[in-house]
Amino acid sequence: MTVGTLDYVAEKQPEADAHGNVAYYTDGENYWLADGTSATEDDLVLLYEVAVEVIVEGVALDGTTAETVAEGTVITFTSSKTSYTYTVGETQSFKMSPDTYTVTADGCRSVEITVPEEGGTIELTLQKVISIAGAVSDYNPGNKWSDSVTLEIPDDLKTSTDVVLEFTVKNVTNSQAGWPTDEWASQRFAIQMAKGNEGFLFFLPKGEANIFDMTDGSIRDEGSFGSIRSFAARTA
């Protein structure tokens, strides 16, 4: 077995007429990103930045009514290699490295855009969504039951019969199920849809996705959807 050495190459930002690169390791033939992910030479390149004009339009919660995106709104562009921020009404000249970016802004649905190598105009349409601010405490031995945050629904939606609620849940600590460690408690949480036992309970230890319907006032195994797929089927 032969053990070689790896050289570390620091990140270099692109310039007006020259490409840059992300930070990486190499043995002279192979390449790895800073997090250990295997990469190709193309993955390492940060293309030179080009001038971009960002035009931002907004859409209200109903999905159709135009709504101005407020000045001061910070928009973040994130690619697999780098990120940029743009402030509505404040950012004047703006340059980006050509790539595909996920675009996010507080209170808006994320979208994806591609900056071409020649730069130019980028038109963004930001759909307003109901966002929630706050954090839920992590599990620790002295506080197994954590805090909660409340999603405030606007009055005009409370009486509506045509509302879609989307949310993302994930195991953030990669904890295992089972005793005696109690790690499972850090991955058990609920979305309460109304007062009382109305909603869904999620139990997400590593490698599992267990979802329980609480609308019958219980969280017994027979109320479990068992998987994301069956959950989607029963709620469609």
Side-chain angles (χ1 to χ4, degrees):
M1 178 178 179
T2 301
V3 178
T5 59
L6 295 179
D7 293 322
Y8 174 74
V9 179
E11 178 180 348
K12 178 183 177 183
Q13 290 298 314
E15 299 176 357
D17 56 355
H19 298 321
N21 61 264
V22 299
Y24 66 92
Y25 293 90
T26 180
D27 60 4
E29 295 181 359
N30 304 292
Y31 305 92
W32 295 268
L33 300 180
D35 63 1
T37 304
S38 180
T40 66
E41 288 189 64
D42 288 342
D43 294 329
L44 309 177
V45 177
L46 282 174
L47 295 178
Y48 60 89
E49 295 180 335
V50 294
V52 173
E53 180 185 6
V54 180
I55 298 177
V56 184
E57 296 181 348
V59 177
L61 282 172
D62 61 14
T64 57
T65 304
E67 183 172 289
T68 302
V69 178
E71 290 194 4
T73 298
V74 177
I75 302 174
T76 302
F77 299 80
T78 306
S79 72
S80 61
K81 300 176 182 179
T82 189
S83 65
Y84 298 89
T85 57
Y86 176 93
T87 303
V88 176
E90 296 180 15
T91 302
Q92 301 300 319
S93 58
F94 194 53
K95 291 186 175 182
M96 299 175 67
S97 179
D99 207 338
T100 297
Y101 294 85
T102 298
V103 184
T104 55
D106 186 40
C108 299
R109 186 185 303 276
S110 62
V111 295
E112 188 174 274
I113 59 100
T114 297
V115 176
E117 293 191 11
E118 65 273 15
T121 301
I122 300 297
E123 296 183 354
L124 286 179
T125 299
L126 297 181
Q127 163 75 54
K128 187 175 181 180
V129 296
I130 302 171
S131 60
I132 186 168
V136 177
S137 301
D138 290 334
Y139 164 80
N140 65 71
N143 180 24
K144 296 179 182 179
W145 305 107
S146 300
D147 299 328
S148 64
V149 287
T150 301
L151 176 64
E152 297 292 343
I153 303 296
D155 289 338
D156 59 342
L157 292 184
K158 290 180 179 179
T159 57
S160 175
T161 59
D162 186 20
V163 176
V164 176
L165 176 64
E166 298 180 7
F167 49 85
T168 300
V169 293
K170 63 181 179 179
N171 182 328
V172 296
T173 61
N174 213 27
S175 58
Q176 303 283 351
W179 300 98
T181 62
D182 264 3
E183 285 186 339
W184 60 274
S186 67
Q187 295 303 330
R188 185 171 62 169
F189 53 93
I191 295 178
Q192 184 181 12
M193 306 295 291
K195 292 183 178 180
N197 291 327
E198 298 290 339
F200 305 98
L201 173 73
F202 296 83
F203 172 35
L204 304 176
K206 183 179 179 181
E208 298 182 27
N210 303 289
I211 306 172
F212 298 82
D213 179 4
M214 298 193 301
T215 55
D216 63 354
S218 71
I219 55 173
R220 301 185 303 273
D221 285 344
E222 55 265 34
S224 172
F225 294 105
S227 69
I228 297 295
R229 179 173 296 179
S230 60
F231 168 71
R234 288 185 58 178
T235 56

